[in-house]
Amino acid sequence: MLVALAIVAIALGAVTRAIGALATDTDSARLRLLALWSADNALSAIRIPMAWPAVGRTTFDCPQGPYRFVCRQTVTALSSPLVRQVAVSVYPSASSGSVLAEVVTVVQNEARH
């Protein structure tokens, strides 16, 4: 009987660890999804008004729900003067080096097209 109780205790411990890992993975997936929405919002702020972004790098707050993300936008000139590449990376904070999400697109200069 004592052996059976020990086996049940070990099994319950394993189940508890698995549930804890699953909860952590779910939180991480939620955080990355919200970061992706922040990046998409930043790109939409360029696409919707058909703005022609200046070449360079900018950093700005891009909160999503309870999270205070920081976005870093990099605009690069391409070989054609009619298009530019825009990359938005989302970080958990200004001092963080870990990227939660990154979105890259190409925008067209509507005024010259």
Side-chain angles (χ1 to χ4, degrees):
M1 174 117 164
L2 198 54
V3 173
L5 187 58
I7 292 172
V8 169
I10 291 171
L12 285 176
V15 167
T16 303
R17 278 194 302 275
I19 290 172
L22 181 60
T24 300
D25 289 346
T26 302
D27 289 343
S28 176
R30 179 184 309 122
L31 186 69
R32 291 184 182 280
L33 176 63
L34 292 173
L36 186 60
W37 288 352
S38 286
D40 194 45
N41 287 346
L43 290 180
S44 294
I46 293 171
R47 280 190 238 129
I48 290 172
M50 293 183 272
W52 185 236
V55 172
R57 175 179 276 173
T58 56
T59 300
F60 52 92
D61 293 333
C62 54
Q64 195 66 243
Y67 301 102
R68 301 293 166 230
F69 298 132
V70 173
C71 287
R72 293 187 185 127
Q73 177 177 294
T74 305
V75 179
T76 309
L78 298 177
S79 58
S80 170
L82 297 177
V83 293
R84 289 191 176 158
Q85 177 180 304
V86 181
V88 177
S89 301
V90 182
Y91 298 83
S93 68
S95 61
S96 178
S98 80
V99 177
L100 295 173
E102 185 170 38
V103 179
V104 180
T105 192
V106 174
V107 294
Q108 180 174 304
N109 187 348
E110 297 293 333
R112 293 185 60 189
H113 191 263

